[in-house]
């Protein structure tokens, strides 16, 4: 399981974006906190994090969208199908055309819906979480993406 989790923990692009944001914080705020006796951790916790909500939201969105649809590493490294991520299970039903029986759908003796309808329902399951989360993060997106891009 760690072979799927560890390689995607830190992205170099995201580290550069976050670093550019923190370098761009106003020096006067940091200096005034240091004069008041704030340590480096207090600077980070009380000044850095509250001012960096936009960049944290964008990095979270980048990670979420970037790895939500990834299935290839799990396909390579995981042999146990019970540990497969959602996207690999969905790929099995949609791309490989695995048939769902009436027992898989919880139907007892009833007719199974057409395979195309089942595939479209499975695709909606994979799309809805991103569609639900994105509107809450969207307002921070433009500000966070442009952080560190233009120096003036």
């Amino acid at each position: 399981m760690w072979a799927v989790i560890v390689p995607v923990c830190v992205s170099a692009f995201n580290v550069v974006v976050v670093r550019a944001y923190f370098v761009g914080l106003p020096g006067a705020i940091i200096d005034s906190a240091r004069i008041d006796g704030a340590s480096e951790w207090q600077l980070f916790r009380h000044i850095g994090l509250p001012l960096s909500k936009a960049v944290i939201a964008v990095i979270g969105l980048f990670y979420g969208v970037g790895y939500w649809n990834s299935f290839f590493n799990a396909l390579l490294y995981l042999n146990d199908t019970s540990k497969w991520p959602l996207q690999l299970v969905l790929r099995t039903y949609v791309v490989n055309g695995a048939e769902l029986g009436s027992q898989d759908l919880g139907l007892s003796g009833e007719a199974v819906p057409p395979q195309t309808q089942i595939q479209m329902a499975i695709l909606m399951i994979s799309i809805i979480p991103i569609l639900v989360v994105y509107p809450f993060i969207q307002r921070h997106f433009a500000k966070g993406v442009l952080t560190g891009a233009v120096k003036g």
Side-chain angles (χ1 to χ4, degrees), residues 58-129:
V58 168
I59 296 304
L61 183 67
F62 282 165
Y63 272 115
V65 172
Y67 299 114
W68 177 253
N69 287 325
S70 66
F71 66 90
F72 191 67
N73 285 343
L75 183 65
L76 290 176
Y77 300 126
L78 297 179
N79 294 327
D80 186 10
T81 58
S82 67
K83 294 181 181 179
W84 278 4
L86 176 66
Q87 298 303 331
L88 189 53
V89 173
L90 298 178
R91 181 184 177 276
T92 303
Y93 290 114
V94 175
V95 175
N96 294 344
E99 293 286 330
L100 288 172
S102 60
Q103 294 173 348
D104 295 330
L105 296 173
L107 304 173
S108 58
E110 298 177 25
V112 178
Q115 192 66 24
T116 306
Q117 290 179 358
I118 293 173
Q119 289 175 343
M120 294 304 121
I122 289 171
L123 289 174
M124 289 305 297
I125 290 171
S126 68
I127 293 171
I128 288 174

Coordinates of all heavy atoms in Angstrom, one line a residue, residues 58-129:
V58 N -5.3 25.9 -3.1 CA -4.9 25.5 -4.5 C -4.1 24.3 -4.5 O -4.3 23.4 -5.4 CB -4.2 26.7 -5.2 CG1 -3.5 26.3 -6.4 CG2 -5.2 27.8 -5.4
I59 N -3.2 24.2 -3.6 CA -2.3 23.0 -3.5 C -3.2 21.8 -3.2 O -3.0 20.7 -3.8 CB -1.2 23.1 -2.5 CG1 -0.3 24.3 -2.9 CG2 -0.5 21.8 -2.3 CD1 0.4 24.1 -4.2
G60 N -4.2 21.9 -2.3 CA -5.1 20.8 -2.1 C -5.9 20.4 -3.3 O -6.1 19.2 -3.6
L61 N -6.3 21.4 -4.1 CA -7.0 21.1 -5.3 C -6.1 20.4 -6.3 O -6.6 19.5 -7.0 CB -7.6 22.4 -5.9 CG -8.5 22.3 -7.1 CD1 -9.7 21.5 -6.8 CD2 -8.8 23.6 -7.7
F62 N -4.9 20.9 -6.4 CA -4.0 20.3 -7.4 C -3.7 18.8 -7.0 O -3.8 17.9 -7.9 CB -2.6 21.0 -7.4 CG -2.6 22.2 -8.1 CD1 -1.5 23.1 -8.0 CD2 -3.6 22.6 -9.0 CE1 -1.5 24.3 -8.7 CE2 -3.5 23.7 -9.8 CZ -2.5 24.6 -9.6
Y63 N -3.5 18.5 -5.7 CA -3.4 17.1 -5.3 C -4.6 16.3 -5.5 O -4.6 15.2 -5.9 CB -3.0 17.1 -3.8 CG -1.5 17.1 -3.5 CD1 -0.9 18.2 -2.9 CD2 -0.6 16.1 -4.0 CE1 0.4 18.3 -2.6 CE2 0.7 16.2 -3.8 CZ 1.2 17.3 -3.1 OH 2.6 17.3 -2.9
G64 N -5.8 16.9 -5.1 CA -7.0 16.2 -5.2 C -7.3 15.8 -6.7 O -7.6 14.7 -7.0
V65 N -7.2 16.8 -7.6 CA -7.6 16.5 -9.0 C -6.5 15.7 -9.6 O -6.7 14.8 -10.4 CB -7.8 17.8 -9.8 CG1 -7.9 17.6 -11.2 CG2 -9.0 18.5 -9.2
G66 N -5.2 15.9 -9.3 CA -4.1 15.2 -9.9 C -4.1 13.7 -9.5 O -3.7 12.9 -10.4
Y67 N -4.5 13.4 -8.3 CA -4.4 12.0 -7.9 C -5.8 11.3 -7.8 O -5.8 10.1 -7.5 CB -3.6 11.9 -6.6 CG -2.2 12.4 -6.8 CD1 -1.8 13.5 -6.2 CD2 -1.4 11.7 -7.7 CE1 -0.5 14.0 -6.4 CE2 -0.1 12.2 -7.9 CZ 0.3 13.3 -7.3 OH 1.6 13.8 -7.5
W68 N -6.8 12.0 -8.0 CA -8.2 11.4 -7.9 C -8.3 10.4 -9.0 O -8.9 9.3 -8.8 CB -9.3 12.5 -8.0 CG -10.6 11.9 -8.0 CD1 -11.5 11.8 -9.0 CD2 -11.3 11.3 -6.9 NE1 -12.6 11.2 -8.7 CE2 -12.6 10.9 -7.4 CE3 -11.0 11.1 -5.6 CZ2 -13.5 10.3 -6.5 CZ3 -11.9 10.4 -4.8 CH2 -13.1 10.0 -5.3
N69 N -7.9 10.7 -10.2 CA -8.1 9.9 -11.4 C -6.9 8.9 -11.6 O -6.9 8.3 -12.6 CB -8.4 10.7 -12.6 CG -9.7 11.3 -12.6 OD1 -10.7 10.7 -12.1 ND2 -9.9 12.5 -13.1
S70 N -5.9 8.9 -10.8 CA -4.7 8.1 -11.0 C -5.1 6.6 -10.6 O -5.6 6.4 -9.5 CB -3.5 8.6 -10.3 OG -3.7 8.5 -8.9
F71 N -4.8 5.7 -11.5 CA -5.0 4.3 -11.2 C -3.8 3.5 -11.5 O -3.7 2.3 -11.1 CB -6.2 3.8 -11.9 CG -6.0 3.8 -13.4 CD1 -5.5 2.7 -14.0 CD2 -6.4 4.9 -14.2 CE1 -5.3 2.7 -15.4 CE2 -6.2 4.9 -15.5 CZ -5.7 3.8 -16.2
F72 N -2.9 4.1 -12.3 CA -1.8 3.3 -12.9 C -0.9 2.7 -11.8 O -0.5 1.5 -11.9 CB -1.0 4.1 -13.9 CG -0.1 3.2 -14.8 CD1 -0.6 2.3 -15.6 CD2 1.3 3.4 -14.6 CE1 0.3 1.5 -16.4 CE2 2.1 2.6 -15.4 CZ 1.6 1.6 -16.2
N73 N -0.4 3.5 -10.9 CA 0.4 3.0 -9.8 C -0.2 1.9 -9.0 O 0.5 0.9 -8.7 CB 0.9 4.1 -8.9 CG 1.9 5.1 -9.5 OD1 2.5 4.7 -10.5 ND2 2.0 6.2 -8.9
A74 N -1.5 2.0 -8.7 CA -2.2 1.0 -8.0 C -2.2 -0.3 -8.9 O -2.1 -1.4 -8.4 CB -3.6 1.4 -7.7
L75 N -2.4 -0.1 -10.2 CA -2.4 -1.3 -11.1 C -1.1 -2.0 -11.1 O -1.1 -3.2 -11.1 CB -2.8 -0.8 -12.5 CG -2.9 -1.9 -13.6 CD1 -4.1 -2.8 -13.3 CD2 -3.1 -1.2 -14.9
L76 N 0.0 -1.3 -11.0 CA 1.3 -1.9 -11.0 C 1.7 -2.5 -9.7 O 2.3 -3.6 -9.6 CB 2.4 -0.8 -11.3 CG 2.4 -0.2 -12.7 CD1 3.4 0.9 -12.8 CD2 2.7 -1.3 -13.7
Y77 N 1.4 -1.9 -8.5 CA 1.9 -2.3 -7.3 C 1.0 -3.1 -6.4 O 1.4 -3.7 -5.4 CB 2.4 -1.0 -6.5 CG 3.5 -0.3 -7.2 CD1 3.3 1.1 -7.4 CD2 4.6 -0.9 -7.7 CE1 4.3 1.8 -8.1 CE2 5.6 -0.2 -8.3 CZ 5.4 1.2 -8.5 OH 6.4 1.9 -9.2
L78 N -0.3 -3.0 -6.6 CA -1.2 -3.7 -5.7 C -1.8 -5.0 -6.3 O -2.4 -4.9 -7.4 CB -2.4 -2.8 -5.3 CG -2.1 -1.5 -4.5 CD1 -3.3 -0.7 -4.3 CD2 -1.4 -1.8 -3.2
N79 N -1.5 -6.1 -5.7 CA -2.0 -7.4 -6.2 C -3.4 -7.7 -5.6 O -4.1 -8.5 -6.1 CB -1.0 -8.5 -5.9 CG 0.3 -8.3 -6.7 OD1 0.2 -7.7 -7.8 ND2 1.4 -8.7 -6.1
D80 N -3.6 -7.2 -4.4 CA -4.9 -7.5 -3.7 C -6.0 -6.6 -4.1 O -5.9 -5.4 -4.0 CB -4.6 -7.3 -2.2 CG -5.8 -7.8 -1.3 OD1 -6.8 -8.4 -1.9 OD2 -5.8 -7.5 -0.1
T81 N -7.0 -7.1 -4.7 CA -8.1 -6.3 -5.3 C -8.9 -5.6 -4.2 O -9.6 -4.6 -4.5 CB -9.1 -7.2 -6.2 OG1 -9.6 -8.2 -5.4 CG2 -8.3 -7.7 -7.4
S82 N -8.8 -6.1 -3.0 CA -9.6 -5.4 -1.9 C -8.9 -4.1 -1.5 O -9.5 -3.2 -0.9 CB -9.7 -6.3 -0.7 OG -8.4 -6.5 -0.1
K83 N -7.7 -3.8 -1.9 CA -7.0 -2.6 -1.6 C -6.9 -1.6 -2.8 O -6.3 -0.6 -2.7 CB -5.5 -2.9 -1.2 CG -5.5 -3.6 0.1 CD -4.0 -3.9 0.5 CE -4.0 -4.7 1.8 NZ -2.7 -5.0 2.3
W84 N -7.6 -2.0 -3.9 CA -7.6 -1.1 -5.1 C -8.3 0.2 -4.8 O -9.3 0.2 -4.1 CB -8.3 -1.8 -6.2 CG -7.5 -2.8 -7.0 CD1 -6.2 -3.1 -6.7 CD2 -7.9 -3.5 -8.1 NE1 -5.8 -4.0 -7.6 CE2 -6.8 -4.3 -8.5 CE3 -9.1 -3.6 -8.8 CZ2 -6.8 -5.1 -9.6 CZ3 -9.1 -4.4 -9.9 CH2 -8.0 -5.2 -10.3
P85 N -7.8 1.3 -5.3 CA -8.5 2.6 -5.1 C -9.8 2.6 -6.0 O -9.9 1.8 -6.9 CB -7.5 3.6 -5.6 CG -6.6 2.9 -6.4 CD -6.5 1.5 -5.9
L86 N -10.6 3.5 -5.7 CA -11.9 3.6 -6.5 C -11.7 3.7 -8.0 O -12.5 3.0 -8.7 CB -12.7 4.9 -6.0 CG -14.0 5.2 -6.7 CD1 -15.0 4.1 -6.4 CD2 -14.5 6.5 -6.3
Q87 N -10.8 4.5 -8.4 CA -10.6 4.6 -9.9 C -10.2 3.3 -10.6 O -10.6 3.1 -11.7 CB -9.6 5.7 -10.2 CG -10.0 7.1 -9.7 CD -11.3 7.5 -10.2 OE1 -11.8 7.2 -11.3 NE2 -12.0 8.3 -9.4
L88 N -9.5 2.5 -9.9 CA -9.1 1.2 -10.5 C -10.3 0.3 -10.6 O -10.4 -0.5 -11.6 CB -7.9 0.6 -9.8 CG -7.3 -0.6 -10.4 CD1 -6.8 -0.3 -11.8 CD2 -6.1 -1.0 -9.6
V89 N -11.1 0.3 -9.6 CA -12.3 -0.5 -9.6 C -13.2 -0.1 -10.7 O -13.8 -0.8 -11.5 CB -13.0 -0.5 -8.2 CG1 -14.3 -1.2 -8.3 CG2 -12.1 -1.1 -7.1
L90 N -13.4 1.3 -10.8 CA -14.3 1.8 -11.8 C -13.7 1.5 -13.2 O -14.5 1.2 -14.1 CB -14.4 3.3 -11.7 CG -15.1 3.8 -10.4 CD1 -15.1 5.3 -10.3 CD2 -16.4 3.2 -10.2
R91 N -12.4 1.5 -13.4 CA -11.8 1.2 -14.7 C -12.1 -0.2 -15.1 O -12.3 -0.6 -16.2 CB -10.3 1.4 -14.6 CG -9.6 1.1 -15.9 CD -8.1 1.3 -15.7 NE -7.4 1.0 -17.0 CZ -7.1 -0.3 -17.3 NH1 -7.4 -1.3 -16.5 NH2 -6.4 -0.5 -18.5
T92 N -12.1 -1.1 -14.1 CA -12.4 -2.5 -14.3 C -13.8 -2.7 -14.9 O -14.0 -3.4 -15.9 CB -12.3 -3.3 -13.0 OG1 -11.0 -3.2 -12.5 CG2 -12.5 -4.8 -13.3
Y93 N -14.7 -1.9 -14.4 CA -16.1 -2.1 -14.9 C -16.3 -1.3 -16.2 O -17.1 -1.7 -17.1 CB -17.1 -1.6 -13.9 CG -17.2 -2.6 -12.7 CD1 -16.8 -2.2 -11.4 CD2 -17.6 -3.9 -12.9 CE1 -16.8 -3.1 -10.4 CE2 -17.7 -4.7 -11.8 CZ -17.3 -4.3 -10.6 OH -17.3 -5.2 -9.5
V94 N -15.7 -0.2 -16.4 CA -16.0 0.7 -17.6 C -15.1 0.3 -18.7 O -15.6 0.0 -19.8 CB -15.8 2.2 -17.2 CG1 -16.0 3.0 -18.4 CG2 -16.8 2.6 -16.1
V95 N -13.8 0.3 -18.6 CA -12.9 0.0 -19.7 C -12.8 -1.4 -20.0 O -12.9 -1.8 -21.2 CB -11.5 0.6 -19.4 CG1 -10.5 0.3 -20.5 CG2 -11.6 2.1 -19.2
N96 N -12.6 -2.3 -19.0 CA -12.5 -3.7 -19.3 C -13.8 -4.3 -19.6 O -13.9 -5.5 -20.0 CB -11.8 -4.4 -18.1 CG -10.4 -4.0 -18.0 OD1 -9.8 -3.4 -18.9 ND2 -9.8 -4.2 -16.8
G97 N -14.9 -3.7 -19.3 CA -16.3 -4.2 -19.6 C -16.7 -5.3 -18.7 O -17.4 -6.2 -19.1
A98 N -16.2 -5.4 -17.4 CA -16.6 -6.4 -16.5 C -18.1 -6.3 -16.3 O -18.7 -5.3 -16.1 CB -15.9 -6.3 -15.2
E99 N -18.7 -7.5 -16.4 CA -20.2 -7.5 -16.2 C -20.6 -7.6 -14.8 O -20.0 -8.2 -13.9 CB -20.7 -8.8 -16.9 CG -20.6 -8.8 -18.4 CD -21.5 -7.9 -19.1 OE1 -22.6 -7.7 -18.6 OE2 -21.2 -7.3 -20.2
L100 N -21.6 -6.8 -14.4 CA -22.2 -6.8 -13.1 C -23.4 -7.7 -13.1 O -24.3 -7.5 -13.9 CB -22.5 -5.4 -12.6 CG -21.4 -4.5 -12.3 CD1 -21.9 -3.1 -12.1 CD2 -20.7 -5.0 -11.1
G101 N -23.4 -8.6 -12.2 CA -24.6 -9.5 -12.2 C -25.7 -9.0 -11.2 O -25.5 -7.9 -10.6
S102 N -26.8 -9.6 -11.1 CA -27.9 -9.2 -10.3 C -27.5 -9.2 -8.8 O -27.9 -8.4 -8.0 CB -29.1 -10.0 -10.5 OG -28.9 -11.3 -10.2
Q103 N -26.6 -10.2 -8.4 CA -26.1 -10.3 -7.0 C -25.2 -9.1 -6.7 O -25.2 -8.6 -5.6 CB -25.4 -11.6 -6.8 CG -26.3 -12.8 -6.9 CD -25.6 -14.1 -6.9 OE1 -24.4 -14.1 -6.9 NE2 -26.3 -15.2 -6.7
D104 N -24.4 -8.7 -7.6 CA -23.5 -7.5 -7.4 C -24.3 -6.2 -7.1 O -23.8 -5.4 -6.4 CB -22.5 -7.3 -8.6 CG -21.6 -8.5 -8.8 OD1 -21.3 -9.1 -7.8 OD2 -21.2 -8.7 -10.0
L105 N -25.4 -6.1 -7.8 CA -26.2 -4.9 -7.7 C -27.2 -5.0 -6.5 O -28.0 -4.0 -6.3 CB -26.9 -4.6 -9.0 CG -26.0 -4.3 -10.2 CD1 -26.8 -4.2 -11.4 CD2 -25.2 -3.0 -9.9
G106 N -27.3 -6.1 -5.9 CA -28.3 -6.2 -4.8 C -29.7 -6.6 -5.3 O -30.6 -6.4 -4.6
L107 N -29.8 -7.0 -6.5 CA -31.1 -7.4 -7.1 C -31.3 -8.9 -6.9 O -30.4 -9.7 -7.3 CB -31.1 -7.0 -8.6 CG -30.9 -5.5 -8.9 CD1 -30.8 -5.3 -10.4 CD2 -31.9 -4.6 -8.3
S108 N -32.4 -9.3 -6.4 CA -32.6 -10.7 -6.3 C -33.7 -11.2 -7.3 O -34.8 -10.9 -7.2 CB -33.1 -11.1 -4.9 OG -34.3 -10.3 -4.6
G109 N -33.2 -11.8 -8.3 CA -34.1 -12.4 -9.3 C -34.7 -11.3 -10.3 O -35.6 -11.6 -11.1
E110 N -34.2 -10.1 -10.2 CA -34.8 -9.0 -11.1 C -33.8 -8.9 -12.3 O -32.7 -9.4 -12.3 CB -34.8 -7.7 -10.4 CG -35.8 -7.7 -9.2 CD -35.8 -6.4 -8.4 OE1 -35.5 -5.4 -9.0 OE2 -36.1 -6.4 -7.2
A111 N -34.4 -8.3 -13.3 CA -33.6 -8.0 -14.5 C -32.5 -7.0 -14.2 O -32.7 -6.0 -13.5 CB -34.5 -7.5 -15.7
V112 N -31.3 -7.2 -14.8 CA -30.1 -6.3 -14.6 C -30.3 -5.2 -15.6 O -30.6 -5.4 -16.8 CB -28.8 -7.1 -14.8 CG1 -27.6 -6.2 -14.7 CG2 -28.7 -8.3 -13.9
P113 N -30.0 -4.0 -15.2 CA -30.1 -2.8 -16.2 C -29.0 -3.0 -17.3 O -28.0 -3.7 -17.1 CB -29.7 -1.6 -15.3 CG -29.9 -2.0 -13.9 CD -29.7 -3.5 -13.9
P114 N -29.2 -2.4 -18.4 CA -28.2 -2.5 -19.5 C -26.9 -2.0 -19.0 O -26.7 -1.1 -18.2 CB -28.8 -1.5 -20.6 CG -30.2 -1.4 -20.2 CD -30.4 -1.6 -18.8
Q115 N -25.8 -2.7 -19.6 CA -24.4 -2.4 -19.2 C -24.0 -0.9 -19.4 O -23.3 -0.4 -18.6 CB -23.5 -3.3 -20.0 CG -22.1 -3.4 -19.4 CD -22.0 -4.0 -18.0 OE1 -22.9 -4.7 -17.6 NE2 -21.0 -3.6 -17.3
T116 N -24.5 -0.3 -20.4 CA -24.2 1.1 -20.7 C -24.7 2.0 -19.6 O -24.0 2.9 -19.1 CB -24.8 1.6 -22.0 OG1 -24.4 0.7 -23.0 CG2 -24.3 3.0 -22.4
Q117 N -25.9 1.8 -19.1 CA -26.4 2.6 -18.0 C -25.6 2.4 -16.7 O -25.3 3.3 -15.9 CB -27.9 2.2 -17.7 CG -28.8 2.7 -18.8 CD -30.2 2.3 -18.5 OE1 -30.5 1.6 -17.5 NE2 -31.1 2.7 -19.4
I118 N -25.1 1.2 -16.4 CA -24.3 0.9 -15.3 C -23.0 1.6 -15.4 O -22.5 2.2 -14.5 CB -24.1 -0.6 -15.1 CG1 -25.4 -1.3 -14.7 CG2 -23.1 -0.9 -14.0 CD1 -25.4 -2.8 -14.7
Q119 N -22.4 1.6 -16.6 CA -21.1 2.3 -16.8 C -21.2 3.8 -16.6 O -20.4 4.4 -16.0 CB -20.6 2.0 -18.2 CG -20.1 0.6 -18.4 CD -19.7 0.2 -19.8 OE1 -20.0 0.9 -20.7 NE2 -18.9 -0.8 -19.9
M120 N -22.3 4.4 -17.1 CA -22.5 5.8 -16.9 C -22.7 6.1 -15.4 O -22.3 7.2 -14.9 CB -23.7 6.3 -17.7 CG -23.5 6.2 -19.2 SD -22.0 7.1 -19.7 CE -21.1 5.8 -20.5
A121 N -23.4 5.3 -14.7 CA -23.6 5.5 -13.3 C -22.3 5.4 -12.5 O -22.0 6.2 -11.6 CB -24.6 4.5 -12.7
I122 N -21.4 4.5 -12.9 CA -20.1 4.4 -12.3 C -19.3 5.6 -12.6 O -18.6 6.1 -11.8 CB -19.4 3.1 -12.8 CG1 -20.1 1.8 -12.2 CG2 -17.9 3.1 -12.5 CD1 -19.7 0.5 -12.8
L123 N -19.3 6.1 -13.8 CA -18.6 7.4 -14.2 C -19.1 8.5 -13.3 O -18.3 9.4 -12.9 CB -18.7 7.7 -15.6 CG -18.0 6.7 -16.6 CD1 -18.3 7.0 -18.0 CD2 -16.5 6.8 -16.3
M124 N -20.4 8.6 -13.1 CA -20.9 9.7 -12.2 C -20.4 9.6 -10.8 O -20.1 10.6 -10.2 CB -22.4 9.7 -12.2 CG -23.0 10.1 -13.6 SD -22.5 11.8 -14.1 CE -23.0 12.8 -12.8
I125 N -20.2 8.4 -10.3 CA -19.6 8.2 -9.0 C -18.2 8.8 -8.9 O -17.8 9.4 -7.9 CB -19.6 6.7 -8.6 CG1 -21.0 6.2 -8.4 CG2 -18.7 6.4 -7.4 CD1 -21.1 4.7 -8.2
S126 N -17.5 8.7 -10.0 CA -16.1 9.2 -10.0 C -16.0 10.7 -10.2 O -15.1 11.4 -9.8 CB -15.2 8.5 -11.0 OG -15.7 8.8 -12.3
I127 N -17.1 11.3 -10.8 CA -17.0 12.7 -11.1 C -17.6 13.6 -10.0 O -17.1 14.7 -9.7 CB -17.8 13.0 -12.4 CG1 -17.1 12.4 -13.6 CG2 -18.0 14.5 -12.6 CD1 -17.9 12.4 -14.9
I128 N -18.6 13.1 -9.3 CA -19.4 13.9 -8.3 C -18.5 14.5 -7.2 O -18.6 15.7 -6.8 CB -20.6 13.1 -7.8 CG1 -21.6 13.1 -8.9 CG2 -21.2 13.8 -6.5 CD1 -22.8 12.2 -8.6
P129 N -17.6 13.7 -6.6 CA -16.8 14.3 -5.5 C -16.0 15.6 -5.9 O -16.0 16.6 -5.2 CB -15.9 13.2 -5.1 CG -16.6 12.0 -5.4 CD -17.3 12.3 -6.7

